[in-house]
Amino acid sequence: MSENLDISLDKLPIKRLDAIEENGLERFAPDVGYDQKKLDLIRRIDFAWAVEKDTKKKQKTAKEANAPWPWQSMVENLQLAHQELSVIIDMINTVEANDAVTVASMTRPKQLPTEVLSDISVAAATKLQCFRQLGKYLKQSAKTLEKQVAREARFYGALIRLQQNWKVKRQRLTVSAPSNEGFTIDLFDNSLSDSMSLFLPATSTVSVDHDSAGMLAVNLPPKSCRFLHFGFLGVDSGSTTKESVKHDISASDAKREAVKENVDECVKETHLVLRNVHRAIFDEQVFDLVNREGFTPSRGFNVTGIRDNYLELGVGQGASVYLSLLPSGEDADQTDDSADTQNLETAIVTSETTDSTKLVEETASSLKSLSRFPSPTSCEIYLQQIFHEHKFVREKDKRPNASKARVPVQPAGEGSDLLGHFCMTLAHRIFSNKVLEELENLATRVPYLHLLSHPTWSSRTSSWSLTMKVPQSIIRAGHQTRPSDVPSRKDGVRLEFQTKVVVNDDCIKLEGEGAPNVVGLFNGSTEKTCSMNSYECDLANLPVILLEQVASQVVRWLHEEALVVGINASRDFLCLSFELDQGDKLCLLAHVDPKDTLGCISWWLLMAGGLMEEGKLHSEIASGGSENMKFLGYLSLEALYSIMMDLVSLCNRGANN
Amino acid sequence: MNKGGVGLTSGGSGPTSAAAAAAAQKQKTLLQRVDTDITSIVENFNHLVNVARVSDPPVRNSQEAFMMEMRGARMVQAADSLLKLVSELKQTAIFSGLASLNERVEQQTAAFDQQAEKTEQMLSRIGEEAAGCLKELESHYYSSAQRIDQGEQ
């Protein structure tokens, strides 16, 4: 059915080659004349279809009768239109190709108004579509820009707030990306660095960036924050502090996840991180200073071990301490395997496994050891504090020269030897704990001794006093109704005796009245024992000397009381003797034994002739007494007083006889 | 370097003439940039509006569609540039407000000093209180029944 219209087109007549001779000469066809050309042109148009059409139409009508197809007419029409169009296009092509035919004029057929309108509407619709797309694009980019504005507002708001507390610096990373400007926060206090070349840790500058939400993002390399840890060797310590730090950081991590949106929280978080970094820097500086001072020999310590980020010091008193820098938090789990870290790790592990019995044991042992050693945490704080006070604050205060007198500075003159001071403080604390233990022992065993602490506000001095309150004498009780119980010596009546124990570094100083002055003892003169005197002693002799002191005070008190009653009694160190008739002496003798758990001071009654010798006395006491001696036991002051009164009456009777 | 130091508000305490000139220059550049960007936006918008006319030859219409896209992109670009300028201004404001910054630092210093003093006072107070408590406890203990009983035994 579909029959193509064949248009046979001749090739272009121009430059048509007719023949090529053997020698290569080309021979062209002879020029055709105008008439001939015209004829050719007309011949090109094949009018065969017109003839065929008529015949076809006849055939079609015959077929339509057979099978009427509803679209038949349309198909035909379209075909016809196609054919016509083809012809016309062909014509145009021919005309275009061949300049021999010239088209005089071609007028466009006038469009119908509906056609024009539809054209316009199509164009308008296209345009509208374009504008819609453009609008969409603009809207989208507006949204992006809006987001960017909000992000920047948030970021700069946060940055401003950060700037109020930290030193923010601007840093252009690369010229190629001007938008990607980084900000760094300088955490290093360079106001100090001119006077002392402080060690500059790697984390002294922290870079701050936007994150995707426009929040501040602080970039910290892991394990960059290392904190100072202090402890005594052989003592489980630091686990509590470490755990608290750990807890802190993990909590903050969790919080960070939760409140990422809130700007305030974000700023707070950043502050927290920065503060941690700041603290870590300070700790590193302190550690560095400690290391430096560790190399200069000092009185207070000797370095016993040194490793990477670890320093071990012997401080005397049989104690060694270590200082180490450890990364905090979750980083600590995979730290280097130095011994102390393992110690700490095991401490953590054991305390984390909530095995109750183990825990109890551990706390008990740690309590025991803690009573000897001061708390490591407080030591750590003290170390940081003195270094801060003397290396940081002092340096700053030098310039304005103001507010200097606000803190009484302890280690005056040896500001450079802070570590020595610190170690001596530690040694003193340990030593004074031992002294205190002895004193407490005495105070618990001797019932009339009161142990009072006197805070000295000095790290290397401790002071206590052993007070003995004596009962008021019966005779004086009548007219001695003083409203206040102030001990006074003006009226010759004493209400209490005091012995002061002052420990300075590692020397003990005793101060008291009626003390058995060693010098006085050897001189044989009893006069000196009456005055206030002070002397030094060591730890081993401390209890004996104190007991002697106390006993002598008791004897002295009894003597005074006896004198008040009017009896001639004489006193010699720990012995109060009353003269009986015939030159016999009745002696009240104190015996001190610091190892005696029952009472330490025991009393003997001794009947002695004038020829009693020292050596014999001692041997008799050692052998447990004889017919001349009677063991009275551990007496209270009241009992002693009544015994004394009995003796007085005995003497009186003897004298009367 | 001089960007941070020289602010737009060059009314600081006696900037040198060079710095003032630099600041003025900077201000001029910034203003120029603003002008350029805004002109660009307005111009492009004008073009967009002009192009809204449906023109006769259909070929031109598609050409204009391309042009519209281009104009729109230019507008967005100008806006972005303006935004960058704003953030630059913000940075300058942050890093050049030295007066307020110093004031703030001084405030902080004073606050911290005060806090340190307060802490010290508190510590000494705590120490004194502890000493007082210790004394009280000691006297309590030595006058307590337990201790007196022990003494009488």
Side-chain angles (χ1 to χ4, degrees), chain A residues 127 152 165 443-444 449, chain B residues 3 64 87 108 138 147 150:
Chain A
K127 197 130 251 187
E152 294 219 330
N165 291 296
T444 45
L449 270 186
Chain B
K3 203 175 168 188
E64 276 165 2
S87 76
Q108 290 277 58
E138 276 169 348
R147 177 75 184 182
Q150 189 195 350

Side-chain angles (χ1 to χ4, degrees), chain A residues 104-355:
Chain A
S105 73
M106 236 168 72
T107 51
R108 203 174 152 195
K110 205 179 172 192
Q111 282 180 313
L112 293 170
T114 50
E115 279 174 342
V116 174
L117 277 179
S118 71
D119 271 3
I120 290 174
S121 69
V122 165
T126 324
K127 197 130 251 187
L128 187 66
Q129 195 63 31
C130 282
F131 269 101
R132 271 210 188 119
Q133 262 174 4
L134 186 69
K136 223 184 264 174
Y137 169 64
L138 284 180
K139 241 183 221 170
Q140 206 178 339
S141 48
K143 222 178 263 174
T144 331
L145 288 180
E146 231 165 61
K147 253 187 226 165
Q148 203 178 330
V149 166
R151 220 165 44 175
E152 294 219 330
R154 254 186 302 185
F155 177 73
Y156 285 113
L159 196 66
I160 282 178
R161 272 192 275 176
L162 219 56
Q163 196 203 22
Q164 291 173 347
N165 291 296
W166 306 96
K167 189 163 32 167
V168 181
K169 282 184 174 173
R170 183 159 46 173
Q171 179 187 50
R172 274 174 210 284
L173 295 174
T174 43
V175 190
S176 61
S179 65
N180 192 13
E181 281 187 74
F183 297 94
T184 57
I185 291 178
D186 189 359
L187 291 163
F188 183 63
D189 189 357
N190 57 9
S191 63
L192 297 168
S193 57
D194 48 11
S195 52
M196 43 193 277
S197 53
L198 265 178
F199 158 72
L200 180 71
T203 52
S204 65
T205 52
V206 175
S207 66
V208 175
D209 242 327
H210 310 240
D211 64 0
S212 53
M215 294 294 186
L216 298 169
V218 176
N219 303 320
L220 273 182
K223 285 199 213 178
S224 60
C225 283
R226 293 179 303 173
F227 293 103
L228 206 60
H229 283 275
F230 174 88
F232 291 93
L233 276 183
V235 182
D236 280 345
S237 62
S239 61
T240 50
T241 59
K242 201 172 166 176
E243 266 192 318
S244 70
V245 167
K246 201 172 177 177
H247 174 73
D248 265 352
I249 283 184
S250 59
S252 70
D253 268 356
K255 230 172 25 184
R256 183 181 304 169
E257 296 305 314
V259 282
K260 194 90 183 178
E261 299 81 32
N262 198 339
V263 182
D264 282 351
E265 288 299 322
C266 182
V267 172
K268 255 188 220 166
E269 280 305 310
T270 318
H271 275 309
L272 188 74
V273 172
L274 288 175
R275 268 200 303 274
N276 268 337
V277 176
H278 208 207
R279 250 183 57 209
I281 289 172
F282 173 70
D283 275 6
E284 292 205 13
Q285 284 173 344
V286 167
F287 187 70
D288 181 60
L289 288 170
V290 167
N291 271 322
R292 276 189 216 178
E293 290 201 0
F295 287 119
T296 57
S298 165
R299 199 156 56 94
F301 62 90
N302 52 330
V303 179
T304 54
I306 192 161
R307 250 174 287 160
D308 191 23
N309 293 327
Y310 179 87
L311 185 71
E312 205 176 286
L313 300 169
V315 294
Q317 302 297 330
S320 314
V321 297
Y322 68 85
L323 266 173
S324 61
L325 274 183
L326 293 178
S328 70
E330 55 267 41
D331 298 338
D333 291 343
Q334 56 262 10
T335 41
D336 51 335
D337 46 357
S338 60
D340 67 295
T341 346
Q342 279 180 343
N343 276 352
L344 292 175
E345 291 300 313
T346 50
I348 287 172
V349 168
T350 47
S351 59
E352 271 175 357
T353 54
T354 49
D355 187 15

Side-chain angles (χ1 to χ4, degrees), chain A residues 594-609:
Chain A
K595 295 200 173 67
D596 193 345
T597 49
L598 288 172
C600 294
I601 302 180
S602 53
W603 297 91
W604 295 75
L605 200 58
L606 185 65
M607 191 68 183

